[in-house]
Amino acid sequence: MDIQPKMPKSWNAATKPHKFCPGCGHGLILKALGQVIDEMGIQDRVVFGCDIGCSLLAWDFFNVDTVQTHHGRTTPVMVGIKKARPDRIVIAYMGDGGGYAIGSQHLVNAATRDDKITVILVNNTVYAMTGGQMAPTTMPGQKTETTPYGREVEQAGYPMMGPEMVAAITQEGAYVARGSVARFRKLKQYIRKALENQLAMRGFSFVEALSTCPTNWRTNAEKTWEFVEKKMTEQYPLGELKVPVVKEG
Amino acid sequence: MEKAATKKAISIDVHKGKAVFSIFPGLCKGCGLCREKCPEEALSWSEELGVYGTPTVVPDPEKCKACRICEQVCPDCAIAIVRKTGGDKD
């Protein structure tokens, strides 16, 4: 029996193994996304945009039209593609550095305008590609390269609660959720709902995915799961923050 | 370039021969996330090395119940479990 890897069909198998580090959560989130694209049968209509940072390593991940931009500008680029080609399903894929720090104005404005796009934002609490510096999502007390004694809120402020912010500034048709790679099926469900919300043209769809970064957290497999399941979910509660109001009839 | 992913799988019968556990050393990066998630603690490090020269995993055929959690949590799709009785749905 010739057994083949069970990759989603929308994945580009020729580029696997992918370029992410061992134990990186990006692989899991993109697996969930790939399975959702397969199940919805939308591979030929998807435009995938990845941001700078570790997320750009997804540039050859899928067999779909892909564009890579810098520092959160994936959001406005995807908005532009959606405006020009409303029949396309656009996915802006970015990390917390790109989406919440240098590119946060794009996220805020796209959410305020209620653009009909889907944003998947990967939160691993550090700037991973540049070596694990403190990011807007670094949790109080968390040790990073630039906060060797732990992030002190008096000096460095509080972490960014992205979905809560997006939920507050979007309109009624928006879908906002926070999933985790440790809850794979739930995360897949959230991504599916976010894409369906875009298909129905109800409003802005936003999914934050809590992810792992064993390389920069300097954790082994056991501690990696513990970090994402316990410490991160204490700071970042999982669940759907905003579900669109579906009009009857 | 012919990718390592196409390298043959190492397959082993598990769960009293009711399922086949396959590991693809060309995809496995040895992160160990599957080992931690296994409810039966059936996975251990293998002699076979993965794509980064790190150990891959091997299941204990007695302990493995083919629940497919390891397959689900593998970020690299390096594990494939096929149940001979069907029921491959999640």
Side-chain angles (χ1 to χ4, degrees):
Chain A
M1 191 161 55
D2 190 30
I3 294 170
Q4 292 300 315
K6 287 189 191 175
M7 290 181 194
K9 285 192 190 69
S10 50
W11 275 24
N12 185 353
T15 62
K16 305 292 174 295
H18 53 64
K19 299 165 190 71
F20 297 108
C21 296
C24 176
H26 273 293
L28 279 167
I29 297 159
L30 292 165
K31 183 156 93 173
L33 178 61
Q35 289 179 359
V36 170
I37 291 173
D38 286 357
E39 285 166 18
M40 292 173 74
I42 53 172
Q43 192 183 346
D44 54 342
R45 287 194 287 154
V46 165
V47 181
F48 179 79
C50 46
D51 204 59
I52 197 159
C54 288
S55 66
L56 76 82
L57 297 174
W59 65 272
D60 61 353
F61 208 93
F62 291 104
N63 258 329
V64 301
D65 293 331
T66 305
V67 61
Q68 191 259 322
T69 74
H70 282 182
H71 306 125
R73 261 115 252 184
T74 313
T75 311
V77 167
M78 287 334 219
V79 171
I81 292 171
K82 188 73 181 175
K83 298 253 188 237
R85 294 290 301 272
D87 59 318
R88 300 285 115 165
I89 296 150
V90 299
I91 301 162
Y93 186 80
M94 61 188 76
D96 50 302
Y100 289 159
I102 197 164
S104 59
Q105 76 269 33
H106 304 301
L107 180 67
V108 168
N109 283 297
T112 312
R113 288 193 305 259
D114 208 28
D115 288 319
K116 314 291 186 279
I117 65 163
T118 300
V119 176
I120 299 172
L121 195 145
V122 180
N123 175 359
N124 60 3
T125 72
V126 287
Y127 286 114
M129 184 165 266
T130 50
Q133 293 83 359
M134 185 183 82
T137 46
T138 298
M139 299 181 288
Q142 186 186 343
K143 283 181 184 169
T144 68
E145 202 76 356
T146 46
T147 54
Y149 305 108
R151 180 176 184 164
E152 290 173 34
V153 285
E154 281 176 16
Q155 194 196 3
Y158 287 93
M160 180 123 166
M161 306 295 280
E164 282 81 354
M165 178 194 73
V166 173
I169 59 177
T170 42
Q171 303 298 315
E172 273 191 345
Y175 178 81
V176 184
R178 184 189 277 122
S180 163
V181 291
R183 297 278 175 275
F184 184 80
R185 278 180 211 175
K186 273 277 174 212
L187 175 67
K188 202 174 139 185
Q189 204 183 328
Y190 295 155
I191 292 175
R192 190 181 172 112
K193 282 189 183 176
L195 287 176
E196 282 171 348
N197 199 42
Q198 184 191 154
L199 264 173
M201 294 292 261
R202 285 195 206 104
F204 194 71
S205 313
F206 184 79
V207 178
E208 180 185 285
L210 302 184
S211 179
T212 57
C213 186
T215 306
N216 287 304
W217 295 349
R218 289 153 172 77
T219 47
N220 60 13
E222 185 190 354
K223 298 274 184 234
T224 303
W225 283 124
E226 193 187 307
F227 195 90
V228 70
E229 285 176 343
K230 302 226 171 79
K231 288 184 192 156
M232 279 179 82
T233 33
E234 268 173 31
Q235 174 70 38
Y236 301 113
L238 304 179
E240 291 174 317
L241 286 101
K242 200 168 191 175
V243 182
V245 184
V246 182
K247 286 184 194 119
E248 295 292 323
Chain B
M1 183 173 71
E2 190 66 12
K3 278 287 184 174
T6 54
K7 243 171 57 177
K8 268 193 97 89
I10 298 169
S11 297
I12 178 165
D13 275 0
V14 293
H15 194 31
K16 296 170 190 150
K18 282 187 245 171
V20 181
F21 177 104
S22 302
I23 176 94
F24 297 87
L27 290 172
C28 178
K29 293 173 181 167
C31 67
L33 294 185
C34 52
R35 279 187 74 227
E36 297 301 323
K37 279 285 171 183
C38 180
E40 305 289 332
E41 296 186 10
L43 293 169
S44 52
W45 296 117
S46 161
E47 295 283 307
E48 192 72 31
L49 299 184
V51 62
Y52 287 168
T54 47
T56 59
V57 291
V58 62
D60 183 337
E62 301 294 315
K63 287 183 186 168
C64 177
K65 299 278 189 294
C67 68
R68 300 175 66 226
I69 288 175
C70 52
E71 181 188 299
Q72 189 185 57
V73 299
C74 178
D76 292 85
C77 292
I79 297 172
I81 294 174
V82 179
R83 288 184 188 142
K84 289 175 183 172
T85 48
D88 269 344
K89 288 274 176 217
D90 276 325

